[in-house]
Amino acid sequence: MLSVVIITKNEAGNIGACLDSVQWADELVVVDAESTDGTVDLAGAHTDRVFVQPWLGFGPQKNVGIDKASGEWILIVDADERVTDALRDEIRSALGIAMSRDVAGFEIPRRNFFYGKWIRGGGLYPDYQLRLFRRAAGRYDDTALHERLRLQGDIQRLKSPMDHLSMPTISHHVAKMRRYTSLGAEEKLKTRSHVGFIDLAGRHLVTIVKTYVIRKGFRDGLCGLVVAGFAGMHTFVKYAKAWERLHGHHQ
């Protein structure tokens, strides 16, 4: 049995299409962090397994969904992701084989879409994500940003991609960057007690060069340039927020 687990917070614009793409699964579990835009009602039109849980953090929130699920296998999907027909078929096939083997989970390649365009360069593809796993094999950690699924056992890779409608607009990208740089600064300060000149003056430039040149973001044209620029801004703002907190300027 396969259970799909989705965590949400004000995802009214996404949740319907997301759930449509996984309607074939045996169970759909949605854990909502007290949305105010009707996400819960929209999710309820697709499944009766909708739970409201005050926000605990990305990893702990997903663990709540895993605990609510009843399937032996779990597929984690974000509200802005879509499971393609090819991936659906490959998952069914893979689980049929994995039932008789010691496989703990599968990494799934992900196609990231920025402003409506699939970004192939910049290190954004294949962007493997560990999302399909045996329920008994592990749980997520409580890292504030980029939480990790800790599994015990063999991990294999699927070939068919999941689509990630990551940044539909520039405005959306700016808003997401504001949230994620705060979380990134918080994580950075767990391992560092100093932010210096090089951090603020150079790290974002390294990020831009790495994204646009070394990881071939230039292959995506002007869209790739914008993506690289945002990657650099993300790095700069993250370190600037960390510096601000270290020096007591944060309110």
Side-chain angles (χ1 to χ4, degrees), residues 2-8 15 18-19 22 25 27-31 49 51 61-71 73-79 81 131 133 135 140:
L2 174 67
S3 298
V4 174
V5 172
I6 305 168
I7 64 171
T8 56
I15 192 61
C18 177
L19 287 168
V22 292
E27 180 184 48
L28 304 179
V29 176
V30 177
V31 179
R49 305 283 290 158
F51 305 92
Q61 199 81 354
K62 289 175 180 176
N63 288 337
V64 169
I66 294 169
D67 291 338
K68 298 286 187 184
S70 52
W73 286 87
I74 302 290
L75 174 63
I76 300 289
V77 182
D78 290 341
E81 294 173 338
R131 296 294 191 80
F133 58 98
R135 186 168 173 270
Y140 281 91

Side-chain angles (χ1 to χ4, degrees), residues 41-209:
D41 291 338
L42 291 168
H46 292 77
T47 175
D48 60 359
R49 305 283 290 158
V50 181
F51 305 92
V52 175
Q53 167 65 54
W55 183 247
L56 300 171
F58 288 104
Q61 199 81 354
K62 289 175 180 176
N63 288 337
V64 169
I66 294 169
D67 291 338
K68 298 286 187 184
S70 52
E72 178 187 357
W73 286 87
I74 302 290
L75 174 63
I76 300 289
V77 182
D78 290 341
D80 60 357
E81 294 173 338
R82 311 287 181 262
V83 173
T84 61
D85 290 346
L87 177 57
R88 173 199 63 201
D89 294 343
E90 189 176 2
I91 287 174
R92 284 173 167 166
S93 176
L95 292 188
I97 297 171
M99 291 298 182
S100 60
R101 297 183 182 177
D102 184 25
V103 179
F106 295 89
E107 291 184 333
I108 298 172
R110 189 168 66 167
R111 295 190 296 195
N112 291 289
F113 288 79
F114 283 63
Y115 331 126
K117 178 183 175 65
W118 171 23
I119 303 298
R120 293 169 171 82
L124 290 174
Y125 186 79
D127 190 27
Y128 284 104
Q129 302 287 316
L130 182 55
R131 296 294 191 80
L132 179 62
F133 58 98
R134 288 187 192 272
R135 186 168 173 270
R139 288 290 187 275
Y140 281 91
D141 64 19
D142 60 355
T143 304
L145 185 61
H146 303 310
E147 69 286 358
R148 290 188 61 186
L149 178 61
R150 309 286 184 173
L151 291 187
Q152 296 292 324
D154 184 41
I155 297 173
Q156 299 184 2
R157 282 183 169 177
L158 301 183
K159 296 179 180 178
S160 302
M162 172 187 291
D163 286 345
H164 182 209
L165 311 182
S166 180
M167 307 293 178
T169 65
I170 296 293
S171 295
H172 185 276
H173 200 160
V174 171
K176 197 168 186 177
M177 185 180 72
R178 289 182 63 187
R179 296 195 305 272
Y180 278 44
T181 50
S182 293
L183 294 172
E186 179 183 321
E187 280 302 311
K188 187 62 63 178
L189 291 177
K190 290 180 179 179
T191 58
R192 296 183 55 158
S193 59
H194 175 73
V195 174
F197 180 84
I198 295 298
D199 296 319
L200 294 172
R203 289 190 182 274
H204 63 293
L205 299 177
V206 172
T207 299
I208 293 172
V209 171

